[in-house]
Amino acid sequence: MSHRDTDLTESMHYLYRDSIIRAVMPALKAGALYFAVAFAAGWILGPIRQLLVIPASTEWQRQETDAAIAKMA
């Protein structure tokens, strides 16, 4: 294999790798954004639920709420 063929093979490898990265990056960015939003929502809503909602509700209300959430999951 000549030096020119080696250069061509290497440049094709980099083009192929770059095209894969360009194809995958939007999905990775969307996944990271989704994770950040879901984590932030849990971080904010979790303590609100623990400190305000649970003490103010009855045992029956807590069971019904948990059952409704379990059906959605």
Side-chain angles (χ1 to χ4, degrees), residues 12-36:
M12 287 175 63
H13 170 73
Y14 289 122
L15 286 173
Y16 178 70
R17 186 191 66 177
D18 290 344
S19 66
I20 290 175
I21 290 171
R22 276 192 224 110
V24 171
M25 283 305 287
L28 290 176
K29 287 180 182 179
L33 177 65
Y34 178 78
F35 170 78

